[in-house]
Amino acid sequence: MDGNTWEGTDLADHYAEDAFASAKGYVRSYVLHQQLLDHLPPAPATVLDVGGGAGHHSFPLVRAGYEVTLLEPSQAMLDKAEQRLERLTEQERRRVTFVRADGERAHEAVNGGRFAAVLCHGVLGYLERPEPLVDQLCRCTAADGVLSIMTGNAGAMAVRPALERRWDDALAAFDDRTETNVLGVRSRADTVEELSELVRNRSLEPLCWYGVWLFVDWLEFSGVELDPNDSREMAKAVAVELEASRRDPYRQLSRAFHLVAHKDPS
């Protein structure tokens, strides 16, 4: 999704506020964060968040002591990030840098800098081809660094339309890679195998992959809503989601997947 997609619309408000305030948004952020913590180098390592939006995935890392550069093409989303930055302490705010640029020119935009960790969550699906952005992500990853990519799971495309009883769409989805997502925007999905090969061809070795959004996501599409303010139930939900994200066959049915790769120190 380029920067112009968010401008002059209510998408930025919906994505930055409503989507992450929902039970589903909370679960996604929590699960991704916990998965990341298993692989990140110790703070205060440097982190580049490409297509970082309003900082929902990288600001928790700032609170944990990391130095974060948030790269985002949309001024509307950067404005949201600036607003959310005020919730951090003064010391935490000093560890955040904003860069307005497209992910496809990330290496140039950060002046050739290399980062101990590079994040790209929920971005690849808005591009026709993943290769140009993946190339940039790998170039920005330092030797011995970690790359974290979250994107739509092409292996589970039929689940949503089936749960919504759109049977013709579900049948077509077995062989399709695109859909109109919950934001009303056309998006594309990837496979773990193809994305692993892309990063491997760019000198990174895939370490592992996780599922993201399984039970909570499907509950919503089947008409059941969780209350994000019910801390007791949310704690139980994230525990189940986190466990499912690591196990087959559950992770294979997740709406999205999270791939973590490592660049050889040499």
Side-chain angles (χ1 to χ4, degrees), residues 6 11-33 49 51-60 70 72 77 80-81 84 87 121-123 126 150 182-183 212-213 216 220 226-229 234:
W6 302 108
L11 273 181
D13 287 329
H14 174 60
Y15 182 79
E17 302 298 337
D18 302 338
F20 282 91
S22 68
K24 187 170 71 171
Y26 172 79
V27 167
R28 182 179 79 163
S29 297
Y30 180 90
V31 167
L32 273 172
H33 184 68
D49 189 5
H56 286 89
H57 296 149
S58 54
F59 283 1
L70 191 155
E72 167 62 44
M77 292 306 298
K80 292 293 179 183
R84 296 188 69 252
R87 305 175 190 176
H121 298 161
V123 178
Y126 296 108
M150 189 273 288
V182 293
L183 294 174
V212 180
W213 276 349
V216 171
E220 179 179 288
L226 297 181
D227 181 1
N229 298 311
M234 292 307 299

Side-chain angles (χ1 to χ4, degrees), residues 92-110:
E92 289 168 343
R93 291 196 294 270
R94 287 198 293 266
R95 294 200 297 270
V96 179
T97 301
F98 293 132
V99 177
R100 185 181 181 187
D102 289 325
E104 291 93 331
R105 51 177 292 269
H107 191 251
E108 174 190 352
V110 297

Side-chain angles (χ1 to χ4, degrees), residues 106-187:
H107 191 251
E108 174 190 352
V110 297
N111 300 313
R114 303 291 177 92
F115 296 79
V118 176
L119 318 183
C120 185
H121 298 161
V123 178
L124 279 187
Y126 296 108
L127 306 176
E128 289 187 13
R129 296 173 55 249
E131 291 86 354
L133 180 54
V134 171
D135 184 64
Q136 291 289 300
L137 300 175
C138 294
R139 292 181 68 188
C140 291
T141 306
D144 205 24
V146 171
L147 172 61
S148 168
I149 302 176
M150 189 273 288
T151 190
N153 180 13
M157 294 289 286
V159 179
R160 177 189 170 193
L163 290 178
E164 295 176 336
R165 299 169 64 188
R166 293 186 286 113
W167 304 117
D168 290 340
D169 291 340
L171 194 60
F174 285 110
D175 298 308
D176 199 359
R177 290 290 190 93
T178 63
E179 65 171 357
T180 300
N181 65 20
V182 293
L183 294 174
V185 179
R186 199 70 180 163
S187 62

